[in-house]
Amino acid sequence: MSTRTARRRPAAAPRRRPVRRAPSRRTVVRRRLVAILVMTVVTAVVCAVWFTPVLGVREVEVRGVVEMTEVQVLEAAAIEPGTPLVRVDTEAVAARVRELRRVAGVRVERVLPGSVRLTVDERDPVGVVLAGDGAHLVDATGRDYATVAQPPAGLPELKASGAALDAAVGVVTQLPEALRREVLVVTAGSPSGVRLTLSAGREVRWGSVADSPRKAAVLEVLLTREGEVFDVSSPELPTVS
């Protein structure tokens, strides 16, 4: 019986971890100088942006004005020239501009390198309230926002006040454009007593602002018939007389 002699492989020598050399003094000094330089530059940039007029306001641009003037908006905005752009409080500027009666909304934007842009949305009238001092323009929210000497053409006169005025405005804003052009006067003694005076002496008893789209659809059909008084206060049972 033969025997085989197994040859033993020599054990592998343990791997030595590479010895990390400590950075030289020159390298350490260089790194510290670079860090200090970066911090200095960042600090200088922050100071320039926040506390100097380098990136300050040089121009205030006004867009969207029609009936108003740019001067009115600029005076209300009250943005000091040279104010660092990042320190312009856009919310505060917008709040000041919205205090103008004709302004429905405004967007304030910072534009690099040194501009502020104000985009104004003016109110649109849906009717007028005639008074001794002129024609008061009323917008879709029911706000009396301006007084002019003569009422603009094509706007109905609103004979109402308080909650009744809100109801009258609510009815007008929900009328189809073709029907709205026929309305001369909107009268409301109460929120549930809205009446429309149309061209050719026709009268519409509307009632409250509720179901206004449906009432408008019914009225358009009724107006094809002969009559002077059209009652759609109950759109399920309209009448013509």
Side-chain angles (χ1 to χ4, degrees), residues 174-176 179 206 211-221 232:
Q174 295 188 62
L175 293 176
L179 182 55
W206 196 272
D211 293 330
S212 284
R214 185 178 181 186
K215 292 176 181 179
V218 172
L219 180 60
E220 286 184 308
V221 175
V232 293

Side-chain angles (χ1 to χ4, degrees), residues 81-163:
T83 301
L85 198 62
V86 296
R87 295 178 62 185
V88 174
D89 188 339
T90 57
E91 291 297 328
V93 172
R96 290 194 293 269
V97 174
R98 282 196 297 268
E99 290 180 0
L100 296 172
R101 293 174 63 194
R102 282 186 176 271
V103 174
V106 60
R107 185 172 69 256
V108 183
E109 302 171 277
R110 302 184 188 92
V111 182
L112 292 173
S115 299
V116 176
R117 180 181 298 149
L118 308 177
T119 305
V120 177
D121 180 19
E122 292 188 7
R123 297 181 185 275
D124 293 318
V126 299
V128 296
V129 175
L130 301 182
D133 58 346
H136 292 245
L137 303 182
V138 178
D139 73 352
T141 68
R143 179 171 179 174
D144 175 355
Y145 69 90
T147 304
V148 295
Q150 296 295 328
L155 292 180
E157 180 184 356
L158 305 175
K159 294 184 176 181
S161 60

